[in-house]
Amino acid sequence: MKQHKPIIGLAGGIGAGKSFVAGEFARLGCLVICADENVRAAYWRPEVKAALRSWWGDAVFLANGDVDRKAVAAKIFADDHERARLEALIHPIVAQHREQVTRDYAENPDAIALIWDVPLLFETGLNDQCDAVVFVDAPPEARLARVRNQRNWDMSELTRREKAQWPLDKKREISDYVIINTADAGYVRDQVQNVLSLILGKKQ
C-alpha cells in the first residue's frame, strides 16, 4: 500500500505477546488497530446477535443477553464450516472499521505509523497491504504460560486454536522483521524502537 506513513502488520503465535509489542509501538507514536477489540465490539451489534441466535440458539448467549464468546469458540473450533460462516459475518465488519481508521490515519499528523494487530494477517492476505510485517516470537512454554494465566487454556486448547492458523515457522520466515518477546520488557522495547526506526528510514 503506497502511503507516506507506513502500515506495519503484526503477526505471531497465540500468546506471543503481540498486544504488548503493539503497545510499545503506540508509545512511540504509532496508531494501533487491534482486530480482537473490533471483533469483541462486533458481538454487540444487533444484527450479529440475531445471526448467532438463528444459527445456534440460546447456547451461545449469557444470561444477560451478551454473546458467550467461549461457547462460540467451542462451536467454531470444532467445525470448519461453522468457523467459516462466523468469519463471513464478522470479518467484513472488522474490515470496514480498519479501512475507515486507515483512511483517517493518513491525515493524522500525530501518528507516525499504523499498526495492524491482526491474528489472521497472513491467512486473510492483509500482509500484502502492509509496508512491513513484524513477527512477534516467544518460546512455546512462555506462550502457554500467558494463555493459561490470561485465558485459562491448557496446551490442548492452545494447539486446537493454532491448527486453524498458518504454521508459525512459515509466518516467521515470510515476515520482514522478528521481535523476540521475553520477560525483559526493556529488551523488547529496544527491539521495537530499532525495528520502527528501520521501517521509517525506508519510507523516507
Side-chain angles (χ1 to χ4, degrees):
M1 182 174 291
K2 297 179 180 180
Q3 296 192 32
H4 177 65
K5 293 180 289 188
I7 294 176
I8 303 169
L10 285 189
I14 299 171
K18 293 187 294 296
S19 294
F20 177 76
V21 171
E24 289 304 307
F25 276 109
R27 189 176 61 84
L28 294 171
C30 300
L31 179 66
V32 176
I33 298 178
C34 177
D36 280 344
E37 291 180 0
N38 295 335
V39 168
R40 284 193 288 271
Y43 280 125
W44 285 91
R45 296 170 70 115
E47 68 272 26
V48 171
K49 288 185 175 183
L52 298 185
R53 196 176 294 279
S54 70
W55 298 344
W56 302 319
D58 293 337
V60 294
F61 287 87
L62 300 170
N64 64 0
D66 292 343
V67 175
D68 184 342
R69 295 186 67 201
K70 289 184 178 180
V72 170
K75 292 276 188 184
I76 66 174
F77 287 106
D79 188 321
D80 290 343
H81 170 74
E82 298 291 6
R83 184 170 71 252
R85 182 159 66 159
L86 180 69
E87 289 175 351
L89 173 67
I90 298 293
H91 284 185
I93 297 172
V94 174
Q96 183 179 32
H97 178 269
R98 182 183 63 252
E99 290 163 5
Q100 181 61 57
V101 173
T102 299
R103 287 192 295 269
D104 295 343
Y105 143 84
E107 306 300 326
N108 184 347
D110 296 325
I112 62 174
L114 181 64
I115 307 299
W116 283 359
D117 183 1
V118 182
L120 301 178
L121 186 78
F122 288 110
E123 291 84 348
T124 56
L126 287 173
N127 59 300
D128 292 333
Q129 299 180 37
C130 297
D131 295 288
V133 175
V134 177
F135 183 86
V136 181
D137 204 0
E141 59 272 17
R143 295 192 296 108
L144 176 60
R146 287 193 185 105
V147 298
R148 178 178 286 139
N149 293 334
Q150 297 171 5
R151 313 182 197 184
N152 199 30
W153 293 0
D154 58 14
M155 178 56 83
S156 63
E157 181 65 15
L158 177 60
T159 301
R160 184 167 71 111
R161 301 285 184 118
E162 290 196 326
K163 283 183 178 179
Q165 301 183 11
W166 281 15
L168 294 182
D169 56 352
K170 181 178 180 180
K171 292 184 179 183
R172 193 183 199 279
E173 180 181 354
I174 61 179
S175 295
D176 300 292
Y177 303 92
V178 176
I179 288 176
I180 308 298
N181 191 6
T182 67
D184 185 344
Y187 176 57
V188 177
R189 291 190 182 102
D190 288 345
Q191 292 176 84
V192 172
Q193 175 72 74
N194 182 55
V195 166
L196 182 59
S197 296
L198 290 171
I199 295 171
L200 292 178
K202 289 183 177 181
K203 294 297 292 181
Q204 292 176 353

